[in-house]
Amino acid sequence: MQSAKQVRRYLPKTTIIDLPLILGLSLISILIRVLSANWPLAVNEFDPWYLFYNALLIAQAHGNWYAVPPDVLGWWPWGYFIELGNTIGLPFLVALASLPFYPAYGVNAVYTVAIFSDVLLAGLGVVASFLAVESLTNSRLAGYMAGAIIAVSPALTYKNLLGGLPKTSWGAVFILFTIFLFNQGLKKKNIWYGIPAGVLLFLAEISWGGYTYIDLSLLVAAFLLILLNRNDDITANLYTVTVAVTAFLTSLAPNNIGFMSGLAHGLSMLLISVMLYLDLYLSKVLPKDIVESRNIIVIAVLALIFVLGIAGLVLVRPSALPIPPRYYAIINPFYQVTVPIDKTVAEYIPQPITAMIEDFGIALFMSIIGMYYLIRKSNLMGLWLLILGVASIFGTSEQPYLFNYTAYVVAALGGLGIYYVVDGLLKGIKNGNGGKILAITILAIVGISLVADAGFATLASNEPPAITNAATSFLTTNYSWVSAVNWIRTHSPQNAYILSWWDYGYWLEVLTNKSVIDENNTLNGTQIRLMAEMFLNNETFAATVLEKDFHIYPYGSPNYTIPTYIVAYDAVTSVISGGQLQWYIGYPPDLPGPFLGYTTSLGDIGKAMGAMTTIAGYPLNEYVNLTEINDSITQIINTYASTDPTFAQELANQISQAEPFAWTPKAYNSLIVQMFTEALYQTGYGIPIAPFTTQIVPTSSSGYAITGEPLPHVQLLYFQPAYIALFPVTNGGSGSVFYTVYIMVVVYQFVQPGVILKPTVVINS
């Protein structure tokens, strides 16, 4: 088109400039993400540990992905939990890349490839975005914009730190490469480009696992292609070759992904080919007037299917559908508020538009224009990108865990939108509309936005791996988790059974090679609810669940066969006041400011008084005394508001953040609270202080001292502390009151009453 030529006139006509520019953007993308290397390199987050575990199994089997056994450790003892389908692709690629080095370096080769595969991903994402968008528009400007958006995307940095093994991001990159290769086949009218395109689409499906999503989005894109009268022989032939290759390769995968078997998946993709060929045939044989009215018929059919589908999904109970509740909640947002997991996990909670803007920047707005461009001028791949964009943006607004896939789609659409606006403005130059100045202004605004995104992305990159900082707010390294996990691995029998909150399931399963009650795949709500109920009730209740529901008996019982451990973690604060050491569970809200006697929690206590009560279906007021919080704030204001309003405001703010520790008698008697209480007494020094009993006592030196009532002594009968690890992560204080915050990980063993264990206590683990 003439306007595209005008755009290209402002760029060198040779493609020599493409290579250094794209390499430069790729290098920027890599540098932003590797800033996380300020911290020890490790497999990051929770799910990636399971992916690494599968990669290791495949490497040990010399690349044979059929040799990977079912996961008999997850969801035990309810039977084998086979999860190879949606986790096998990326581990397979990691294992293949590590095979040349595996004989010499073994596990370390797989570990290194797993970590640095994300560096490769950061660069490939830029290249894939550029190629896909440039192939759709024939404009290098559009490709550069898409690549630049990917390079500085904050959304990718939040999730794709080194070692993150983001399978959804890999899926998105492979989809963009598929779009590029398919478009090359269209341009050159060569259907054999469908072979490499089919291979890339196969890689997208096995790495991400979105069989159903890809099938349905391609189906809708084909409908749009027919509706817009853009179907032709080369498109139908090229698509058929592509999906035939994909269907064949996916049929070789060791397990299916999503809700359709590999065979059904292949047939569903080929049925789209039948639809394309049928459209071409009918266009040739039907009378012209019927062909021209075809669009109205197609629109009517689509509208009917859409209305019936939405009505059915709203009316039919999710239990009657083969769709897990967390996925059904995306389709029916009104159902989402009834899913406990969706109400307690940040990645499943709908986010406001401000968060979407922060994640995707100006590309979110420009993507809307890009969608309009695709409707007007695009082919099958462009329409597919349009459908992917609409679905992913909506899905991410409902469940943010999709954002590191959506970022790639939004970047491609954003690059298209920027190109379309600038291209339209440059068209007006010959008409004297001053479009050139306005085009430069828009590009400048986009550039400033990208610089801001780069700043956000860089800041977000400077965070340690989740297992290193144990999901706390401390940007530092602690080794209490590592110490405790290593103890379990080396001091417990191979058939040991580990209980914990589901957040740490993959860590414990992979690093200890032991069976766990629940893991990070949260589809089994029964297991998660049982664990929540065990933590929130007394130890007798927990022991009954183990014996009656799991047929596990305590150490020392005549029926004992399986060693069972329960693991929990939280921050604890040692406070030195008046020369005496006191312990507080949690950490001060105003780190590293003065300690005022109140703490908060991001660990298991905080989760118990929030997520666990929600999932167990228990009223929060049975565990948290909200009246005590309000009364304490009122008392503080009445005491200090007139004499020291700043202090009154600070103290009231800390009390409001101390909600997880405003315990009722039921909370005091819960297993989770008593585990930490007994563990603190087992350290051998200092007195654990009960929350909301602290008094601030002025001293003669214009300072103050902290006093409080000791927590009641606890000696659990069915659960005995076996290992207690503490590691200091920060300190603070002022005057005569100083404190150190530790991360404490406690390991208790399920024992017969009367059996006493001698726990190992490791401080500065």
Side-chain angles (χ1 to χ4, degrees):
M1 63 180 66
Q2 184 64 28
S3 57
K5 293 180 180 178
Q6 290 176 327
V7 173
R8 290 196 295 271
R9 189 178 303 147
Y10 295 95
L11 298 171
K13 292 185 178 181
T14 174
T15 58
I16 294 177
I17 195 173
D18 290 344
L19 183 61
L21 278 177
I22 297 306
L23 287 178
L25 288 174
S26 299
L27 183 60
I28 290 173
S29 181
I30 290 172
L31 289 176
I32 288 175
R33 272 88 209 189
V34 300
L35 286 176
S36 59
N38 289 332
W39 307 96
L41 297 181
V43 174
N44 192 18
E45 268 288 349
F46 307 103
D47 293 7
W49 280 99
Y50 193 75
L51 298 177
F52 165 70
Y53 175 63
N54 277 276
L56 185 59
L57 292 177
I58 296 172
Q60 290 171 345
H62 310 291
N64 182 2
W65 62 355
Y66 298 106
V68 177
D71 179 8
V72 298
L73 301 181
W75 304 115
W76 191 90
W78 292 79
Y80 293 127
F81 181 61
I82 303 175
E83 198 183 37
L84 301 183
N86 64 359
T87 59
I88 200 70
L90 185 53
F92 178 61
L93 297 177
V94 169
L96 290 183
S98 64
L99 282 182
F101 314 100
Y102 190 80
Y105 300 102
V107 174
N108 288 333
V110 184
Y111 193 78
T112 303
V113 172
I115 291 173
F116 287 100
S117 65
D118 291 347
V119 177
L120 176 63
L121 174 66
L124 281 181
V126 172
V127 176
S129 301
F130 170 80
L131 292 176
V133 173
E134 195 276 339
S135 71
L136 286 169
T137 60
N138 294 318
S139 166
R140 295 200 298 279
L141 173 63
Y144 294 149
M145 289 295 100
I149 293 170
I150 282 295
V152 301
S153 171
L156 295 182
T157 305
Y158 297 149
K159 200 70 173 173
N160 294 7
L161 296 177
L162 253 66
L165 292 175
K167 59 181 185 177
T168 53
S169 290
W170 278 101
V173 168
F174 288 136
I175 283 175
L176 291 176
F177 277 124
T178 301
I179 291 174
F180 164 69
L181 289 169
F182 194 98
N183 281 327
Q184 290 299 104
L186 289 178
K187 290 177 181 179
K188 298 184 179 182
K189 299 186 183 301
N190 187 342
I191 64 172
W192 302 117
Y193 272 85
I195 295 177
V199 173
L200 268 297
L201 186 58
F202 156 71
L203 293 177
E205 294 186 331
I206 65 166
S207 59
W208 173 29
Y211 270 37
T212 308
Y213 183 77
I214 289 176
D215 291 351
L216 294 178
S217 59
L218 279 171
L219 174 63
V220 177
F223 262 120
L224 280 178
L225 188 76
I226 295 172
L227 186 64
L228 297 171
N229 290 319
R230 295 182 192 160
N231 187 22
D232 55 28
D233 289 329
I234 183 63
T235 298
N237 293 336
L238 181 58
Y239 171 82
T240 301
V241 172
T242 299
V243 298
V245 171
T246 301
F248 171 73
L249 293 175
T250 52
S251 69
L252 301 178
N255 200 2
N256 64 76
I257 304 173
F259 314 118
M260 291 185 284
S261 69
L263 176 61
H265 161 71
L267 290 175
S268 67
M269 299 184 78
L270 290 172
L271 284 175
I272 299 174
S273 294
V274 173
M275 183 179 70
L276 293 175
Y277 285 126
L278 181 60
D279 170 68
L280 293 174
Y281 174 76
L282 293 177
S283 298
K284 296 176 182 177
V285 300
L286 290 178
K288 185 177 180 181
D289 55 340
I290 296 180
V291 172
E292 291 176 350
S293 63
R294 177 188 56 181
N295 290 355
I296 300 176
I297 299 174
V298 173
I299 292 174
V301 172
L302 287 176
L304 178 62
I305 294 174
F306 178 78
V307 171
L308 292 177
I310 294 298
L313 289 171
V314 171
L315 295 176
V316 176
R317 293 176 59 85
S319 59
L321 297 172
I323 303 177
R326 64 173 179 175
Y327 298 140
Y328 177 79
I330 299 178
I331 303 170
N332 181 4
F334 299 103
Y335 175 74
Q336 190 165 33
V337 296
T338 68
V339 182
I341 291 298
D342 284 11
K343 293 191 292 184
T344 61
V345 181
E347 290 187 337
Y348 297 151
I349 298 174
Q351 56 181 334
I353 185 63
T354 52
M356 295 281 287
I357 295 172
E358 182 179 340
D359 289 342
F360 304 120
I362 196 171
L364 184 64
F365 300 102
M366 301 307 297
S367 65
I368 299 173
I369 302 174
M371 293 176 188
Y372 176 73
Y373 169 83
L374 292 175
I375 291 175
R376 289 195 58 188
K377 302 184 178 182
S378 197
N379 54 29
L380 177 61
M381 288 294 102
L383 294 174
W384 186 35
L385 180 62
L386 165 67
I387 301 304
L388 293 174
V390 172
S392 61
I393 291 173
F394 172 75
T396 302
S397 70
E398 293 298 316
Q399 295 190 355
Y401 77 93
L402 293 169
F403 63 65
N404 62 333
Y405 160 78
T406 303
Y408 291 92
V409 180
V410 168
L413 291 170
L416 286 166
I418 295 169
Y419 158 74
Y420 187 55
V421 171
V422 173
D423 181 47
L425 291 172
L426 291 178
K427 277 183 179 179
I429 292 178
K430 61 182 180 181
N431 299 323
N433 294 334
K436 182 177 180 180
I437 296 177
L438 188 54
I440 294 174
T441 302
I442 290 176
L443 289 175
I445 293 173
V446 171
I448 294 172
S449 175
L450 293 179
V451 171
D453 284 347
F456 284 123
T458 302
L459 290 174
S461 184
N462 189 32
E463 290 192 13
I467 197 170
T468 302
N469 75 335
T472 69
S473 61
F474 315 122
L475 295 183
T476 185
T477 301
N478 87 81
Y479 292 98
S480 51
W481 262 116
V482 177
S483 175
V485 166
N486 186 61
W487 184 88
I488 295 172
R489 183 178 59 84
T490 57
H491 287 75
S492 64
Q494 180 58 44
N495 67 330
Y497 180 33
I498 311 299
L499 291 78
S500 72
W501 189 230
W502 68 269
D503 283 359
Y504 330 117
Y506 278 146
W507 285 355
L508 297 175
E509 178 186 344
V510 174
L511 297 181
T512 67
N513 197 29
K514 302 295 190 297
S515 298
V516 295
I517 186 174
D518 49 11
E519 55 187 36
N520 299 82
N521 186 325
T522 56
L523 297 183
N524 193 326
T526 302
Q527 298 284 78
I528 299 170
R529 185 174 64 253
L530 277 174
M531 195 66 238
E533 292 172 349
M534 290 170 64
F535 271 134
L536 292 172
N537 287 281
N538 60 35
E539 63 166 335
T540 304
F541 178 95
T544 301
V545 169
L546 289 177
E547 294 187 13
K548 297 287 182 64
D549 290 84
F550 295 100
H551 306 291
I552 290 177
Y553 300 94
Y555 173 68
S557 165
N559 298 320
Y560 167 80
T561 56
I562 301 173
T564 302
Y565 300 86
I566 185 168
V567 180
Y569 101 97
D570 214 314
V572 294
T573 302
S574 67
V575 180
I576 299 177
S577 177
Q580 296 183 343
L581 177 65
Q582 304 170 358
W583 285 107
Y584 289 78
I585 304 175
Y587 66 93
D590 189 28
L591 285 173
F595 183 78
L596 302 179
Y598 295 91
T599 55
T600 189
S601 169
L602 287 174
D604 284 334
I605 295 295
K607 295 172 184 178
M609 307 308 161
M612 293 186 196
T613 56
T614 300
I615 290 174
Y618 296 160
L620 180 60
N621 59 14
E622 291 185 1
Y623 294 88
V624 176
N625 189 341
L626 298 177
T627 301
E628 183 175 29
I629 297 175
N630 295 329
D631 290 346
S632 298
I633 293 175
T634 300
Q635 181 181 355
I636 291 300
I637 293 176
N638 292 338
T639 304
Y640 296 103
S642 59
T643 58
D644 193 344
T646 302
F647 176 77
Q649 181 62 40
E650 171 63 20
L651 187 53
N653 180 59
Q654 292 202 21
I655 293 173
S656 66
Q657 295 186 61
E659 179 181 310
F661 295 97
W663 294 333
T664 64
K666 188 169 185 178
Y668 270 101
N669 291 317
S670 66
L671 176 61
I672 186 69
V673 169
Q674 294 197 339
M675 286 174 62
F676 284 104
T677 301
E678 181 172 4
L680 285 176
Y681 275 111
Q682 288 284 355
T683 60
Y685 65 97
I687 301 297
I689 302 299
F692 283 82
T693 65
T694 302
Q695 293 184 351
I696 300 175
V697 181
T699 61
S700 57
S701 59
S702 299
Y704 66 94
I706 296 289
T707 64
E709 299 177 10
L711 277 167
H713 274 271
V714 171
Q715 186 172 357
L716 294 171
L717 300 177
Y718 285 99
F719 297 91
Q720 287 286 302
Y723 190 82
I724 302 169
L726 295 99
F727 187 84
V729 290
T730 190
N731 52 60
S734 63
S736 59
V737 179
F738 295 94
Y739 61 86
T740 301
V741 178
Y742 296 81
I743 295 298
M744 171 187 276
V745 179
V746 296
V747 182
Y748 279 68
Q749 186 172 356
F750 182 37
V751 300
Q752 184 77 7
V755 174
I756 303 298
L757 303 179
K758 184 178 181 180
T760 301
V761 180
V762 180
I763 301 179
N764 299 343
S765 50

